[in-house]
Amino acid sequence: MPPAEAFDRRRFLRLAAGAAAALAVSFDNVPSIQASARHALRRLKSPTDRLLALQSGFGSPIDQWQAGDIPHSYSLPNGTTIWMLNDSFLSVTPNDPIGSTSTFVRNTAILENRQSQLSLVESGHSYLDEGERLLDRWWWFHGGHVQGQLLHIVTTEMLRKEPLGWAINFEPTTTWITTLQWRTGRILKMQPAPNNGVSPVYGFSVASDHEWTYLYGNNHLYGRGTTENRVARVPRGRLLATPTYWDGEAWTADANAAISILTHGTFACRLYVFRHGNRWLATAKDDEFYGDEILLFEASQPTGPWRIIQRFAPPTKTGDTQTCTYDAMACTLTPGSLLLWWSNNAYDEQLVRAEPAIYRPSFTQLTLPAPVAKL
């Protein structure tokens, strides 16, 4: 279990029960889910239409959502997608500017229906606010896996370590598995991950083949110290099973024997690994805030070796050094292309308050080169 300061067992069970009741939002009552049911037999949007819808949707306010960053995508069996964002600004009423009545929340859920219409799931507070102290302690979502009616998501408990401010002043302290009933959005439980450490956070990204689910891990830091990536694995979908770790030659129960499967960059290279058909691909924003390129990697095996197969230079929102890009992720858009997205921000919070669009994610289509030969 994590330190008693975070949870003792009795306090956790009591609060978790309250959180499940408080967060029992029904996705069936969300407009996007209602629309999904109505259009269940209709043709899905084309990949191009989906790209344009996401560009437009996340480029504008979404209900009370004004701006935010780091959307993680979880595709659901009913053809919808849930996007879990990190920090966000919410307004009292739709389409308001960021102002004195705006709420700053630590995580937000947005639903994309089968027609790529977007709607905010919760309003006025974090989607997962169990035990949250808004500016001192909170939760961020990472990789996930759908198993039957459940969506299991790796979640880190974040703690502020430095004085309050717009700059990075926090770090992860423990790793958990949050389980949702994906049809309703209800948070059923939170459990410490079998390896609940954060050096690395195993499950920063999650990818599966037919037999195994792979938990890719790094130190989840933006500054110097996150250039190494490791991997563990569990039986497919069983995120609460005890993992084994890749030591360079075989899978071992000894976490201390895990080696870096990719070390890259000066400050940070945080791999976001995913499957594209039978291909193992990964994105990373080279050195995060400090770098200029999104790197696309490919490997013939989940353990590597990884090689760069494409580079993409994302423009900043202002076209200058007042703003930055970070946290690149991707998923399949067509058999030959990816949906690629990244986060945007300003170094000065006042720029975001004056122009919320600076603090919204960007989306594009990335055409893939031919697969690499078997290594």
Side-chain angles (χ1 to χ4, degrees), residues 80-315:
T80 66
T81 299
I82 184 169
W83 296 85
M84 297 287 196
L85 286 80
N86 281 12
D87 296 342
S88 291
F89 285 101
L90 304 181
S91 65
V92 176
T93 58
N95 300 314
D96 277 355
I98 295 176
S100 59
T101 59
S102 298
T103 303
F104 183 73
V105 299
R106 287 301 192 177
N107 56 76
T108 302
I110 290 175
L111 261 292
E112 176 192 354
N113 72 6
R114 289 168 60 91
Q115 303 302 306
S116 291
Q117 297 164 326
L118 303 175
S119 41
L120 181 67
V121 175
E122 288 288 347
S123 184
H125 57 83
S126 297
Y127 177 71
L128 175 57
D129 61 1
E130 199 282 313
E132 179 183 86
R133 295 193 299 274
L134 183 62
L135 298 177
D136 295 319
R137 176 181 172 275
W138 65 92
W139 304 97
W140 276 350
F141 292 98
H142 302 292
H145 186 94
V146 174
Q147 187 178 34
Q149 299 297 313
L150 303 179
L151 169 59
H152 304 288
I153 307 179
V154 177
T155 313
T156 46
E157 177 191 15
M158 305 297 297
L159 289 182
R160 179 172 64 85
K161 295 293 187 179
E162 297 178 17
L164 288 173
W166 190 242
I168 300 298
N169 58 8
F170 49 77
E171 60 186 50
T173 182
T174 52
T175 301
W176 295 68
I177 306 299
T178 301
T179 299
L180 311 180
Q181 188 179 63
W182 61 260
R183 285 191 181 278
T184 65
R186 181 180 181 132
I187 296 177
L188 300 179
K189 56 187 174 181
M190 296 178 65
Q191 298 169 268
N195 181 341
N196 64 5
V198 292
S199 298
V201 172
Y202 281 107
F204 181 83
S205 65
V206 173
S208 300
D209 57 22
H210 294 300
E211 185 176 4
W212 302 98
T213 291
Y214 299 88
L215 310 174
Y216 293 88
N218 57 66
N219 290 347
H220 188 22
L221 303 172
Y222 285 97
R224 194 180 300 275
T226 314
T227 57
E228 295 185 346
N229 295 268
R230 291 172 168 78
V231 63
R233 76 177 186 182
V234 295
R236 180 179 170 88
R238 295 175 55 190
L239 268 60
L240 285 163
T242 300
T244 55
Y245 306 86
W246 182 249
D247 69 2
E249 296 182 355
W251 297 96
T252 173
D254 182 6
N256 293 321
I259 66 156
S260 176
I261 60 170
L262 176 71
T263 302
H264 184 88
T266 301
F267 294 97
C269 180
R270 307 188 306 165
L271 279 185
Y272 178 80
V273 182
F274 59 99
R275 293 279 275 169
H276 177 77
N278 293 322
R279 300 173 71 173
W280 292 95
L281 300 178
T283 53
K285 174 64 197 305
D286 194 16
D287 287 334
E288 298 295 357
F289 305 118
Y290 312 106
D292 298 321
E293 292 183 318
I294 293 172
L295 306 177
L296 178 65
F297 296 86
E298 182 167 12
S300 59
Q301 301 294 329
T303 54
W306 297 88
R307 74 165 189 171
I308 298 171
I309 61 169
Q310 200 160 351
R311 298 171 183 265
F312 175 77

